Amino acid sequence: MFNKFASASLLTLGLSRVSAFAPPAVSYRSARSVLPASQRANIVVNNMSTEGSIDVSSYMGGAAPEGTEDYIMQQTMIRVKDPKESLDFYCNVLGFKLVHFSEFPQWSFNVYFVAPPGHTSTRGDKTWERCMTTPGCLELTWNYGSEKEEGKVYNTGNADSTGTSDGDKVRGGFGHIGITVPNVYKACERFHSLGVEFHKSPNAGGMKGLAFIKDPDGYLVEVLPQGEMVAEPVDCLGVAAEGGEGYKDNSK
C-alpha cells in the first residue's frame, strides 16, 4: 500500500504532556506568495468566539487538584484491521516507534503501543513500565481475524457508514489524532511520495497550511506546523493557495 517504507526518514514530531491552551491568532503569510486582499481580510482567526463562548480561564493555570499531580495522558486506543499495515504506517511513515506490545491469544487480540521517538519514558527496566509512563502513546488493538475481512472494518467516526446496518453515515464523536511537523508542505510532499491518502491537502478548503491524511483504516491524522501557519503557493497535490470552499465539519 505504501512504498519506500524501509528508507523513509523519520519526522520530527512534537509531543508532550497534555496541557490546556488557547490557540494563538492564526495568520497566513508567505515570502513567495501574497494572497489577494479579499482573502487576506478573512485569514485571521480570533482566540475567542463571540458566539457560544465559555469562560475557560480557570482551567488554564493553577495547581492540579490534589492527588492528580502525577497523572499522565498516556494513550488513545484505536482498533485496526491489519496490525502489519498499521505498524508500517505509524512507524515508517509517521516515524513512531513501537514501545510495547502484548499478545492475548486466550482472548484473540493483541495490542501495540507506538509513540514518537525521543519522548519515550526511561523509567523502569521493563517495556510495560516505560510504556505506562510515556505520554501520548497510540494503542493499536488488533482482534484476530479482522485482517481477513473484506473492505473497511471499523467506523472512523467521520461521516462514515462502515458497520452501520442501514448504510447511513454516522456522525461520530471521534475526530482525529494529530502530529506537528517543522514544515507541513515538505512533510506532505513526503507523504504523497509514499502513497499516503489525503483527506485534505495543505491548500485544500478554506484553512490553509494544515492537512489531513488517512491511516490504513481510514482514521484521520491532522498535520499541523510547529510554528506559524504559513501558506505556500501550491501544495503536493497541485492545489493553489488562492480560493477554497471554507471550513468543513468532518463529522457530517
Side-chain angles (χ1 to χ4, degrees):
M1 181 178 180
F2 301 99
N3 52 58
K4 303 181 183 177
F5 278 167
S7 61
S9 61
L10 299 180
L11 289 178
T12 301
L13 302 173
L15 189 61
S16 61
R17 289 177 182 264
V18 173
S19 61
F21 68 98
V26 179
S27 61
Y28 304 103
R29 60 178 174 76
S30 172
R32 291 175 289 175
S33 174
V34 178
L35 296 178
S38 60
Q39 292 183 42
R40 294 200 303 272
N42 297 319
I43 57 176
V44 176
V45 181
N46 292 327
N47 289 349
M48 296 294 181
S49 169
T50 57
E51 181 181 353
S53 292
I54 62 172
D55 182 2
V56 297
S57 58
S58 64
Y59 304 110
M60 298 178 69
E66 185 177 356
T68 68
E69 298 87 351
D70 295 322
Y71 287 10
I72 295 172
M73 172 56 203
Q74 189 272 332
Q75 65 177 265
T76 295
M77 186 277 270
I78 58 174
R79 295 178 180 87
V80 300
K81 176 180 177 177
D82 187 315
K84 179 63 167 61
E85 286 193 5
S86 294
L87 287 168
D88 278 346
F89 176 83
Y90 285 101
C91 294
N92 295 335
V93 174
L94 297 190
F96 290 15
K97 288 297 182 184
L98 181 63
V99 180
H100 175 83
F101 72 96
S102 294
E103 299 179 342
F104 302 96
Q106 68 273 37
W107 295 309
S108 300
F109 78 93
N110 295 354
V111 294
Y112 306 87
F113 291 88
V114 295
H119 297 276
T120 304
S121 170
T122 57
R123 190 186 307 181
D125 58 359
K126 296 181 179 179
T127 61
W128 173 253
E129 186 175 358
R130 291 197 294 270
C131 180
M132 291 298 104
T133 53
T134 295
C137 289
L138 188 62
E139 179 187 5
L140 308 174
T141 297
W142 169 46
N143 294 288
Y144 299 174
S146 60
E147 76 283 0
K148 300 176 184 177
E149 297 184 40
E150 293 293 328
K152 298 295 184 183
V153 173
Y154 297 113
N155 194 292
T156 64
N158 291 292
D160 191 351
S161 62
T162 303
T164 61
S165 59
D166 56 9
D168 288 345
K169 294 180 178 180
V170 173
R171 186 179 182 182
F174 179 80
H176 59 267
I177 65 168
I179 64 170
T180 63
V181 298
N183 185 296
V184 170
Y185 289 82
K186 288 182 179 179
C188 287
E189 288 283 357
R190 178 175 168 274
F191 296 150
H192 183 50
S193 72
L194 294 172
V196 174
E197 181 180 354
F198 280 82
H199 178 74
K200 176 198 175 304
S201 64
N203 286 343
M207 300 182 72
K208 313 300 181 184
L210 63 88
F212 283 93
I213 59 177
K214 293 184 178 182
D215 85 344
D217 289 277
Y219 295 113
L220 296 183
V221 180
E222 186 173 22
V223 185
L224 287 164
Q226 292 169 357
E228 185 178 4
M229 296 178 74
V230 178
E232 297 190 5
V234 180
D235 66 23
C236 60
L237 299 187
V239 179
E242 297 184 12
E245 300 176 356
Y247 171 77
K248 180 182 182 298
D249 183 349
N250 287 327
S251 72
K252 298 179 180 178

